[in-house]
Amino acid sequence: MSKKEEEMKKIKQFIENCKKCSLWKMRNKPVVGTGSSDAELLFIGEAPGSNEDLQGKPFVGRAGKILDELIESIGLKREDVFIANILKCRPPDNRNPLKAEINACAKYLDKQIEIIKPKIIAPLGNFACSFIFEKYGLKFDKIGNVHGKIFQVKTNNSKVKIIPLYHPAVVTYNSKKKKVLIKDFEAILKE
Ligand code: URA
Ligand code: SF4
């Protein structure tokens, strides 16, 4: 097991025992994230839904099928990238994450980013985009204005590109968004 994998395993253990917000009471399985700990590309969603909560894996429902297609459209596979969420436990009835829950859970994602050191971070949807923009000192407007654009940021010891994207779930209620997402994914390919 590589050093990165070992570090990731430690985080998994913390998350599995986490009671830092009330969502632990309702979870079946926390969703830590899946993929390569050495990935150059990191996708960040919002929170687990019901399928994810049952399987303990991110994006395994309808939105996940769309995400898989998009990843394949740029010649990659799930195993090549890392997929995580802001919240590791499912909010009841898939309600929006609360600020307090994000604050409680964010350190796990921060740590995951620190371990993976991705070259590109692609936050999916409003919550993930506004979280990542704030984290890297960017001003978040709204997803409609920034999707598919590339934001280069410098951290202490590395450079990272942020490419905000619509959440794949939008395609389930607006099929036209699929074309937009496919086009925006091409931006990833160019980097
Ligand atoms: N939506 C998300 O934001 N994350 C998942 O893991 C599944 C659906
Ligand atoms: Fe802990 Fe995050 Fe789950 Fe809340 S959502 S219990 S902070 S792992």
Side-chain angles (χ1 to χ4, degrees), residues 113 117-118 136 152-161:
I113 295 173
K117 295 189 173 56
Y136 290 100
Q152 180 124 219
V153 291
K154 256 188 169 169
T155 61
N156 290 341
N157 39 26
S158 62
K159 276 191 247 164
V160 62
K161 285 175 182 150

Side-chain angles (χ1 to χ4, degrees), residues 85-99:
N85 282 308
I86 303 201
L87 295 187
K88 309 308 189 195
C89 306
R90 182 192 180 203
D93 302 318
N94 302 338
R95 65 150 167 76
N96 287 338
L98 303 177
K99 193 79 195 147

Side-chain angles (χ1 to χ4, degrees), residues 15 18-21 23-24 27 87-89 104-105 108:
I15 293 171
C18 181
K19 297 182 177 178
K20 281 189 189 294
C21 80
L23 295 180
W24 72 272
R27 74 180 168 222
L87 295 187
K88 309 308 189 195
C89 306
C105 208
Y108 297 123

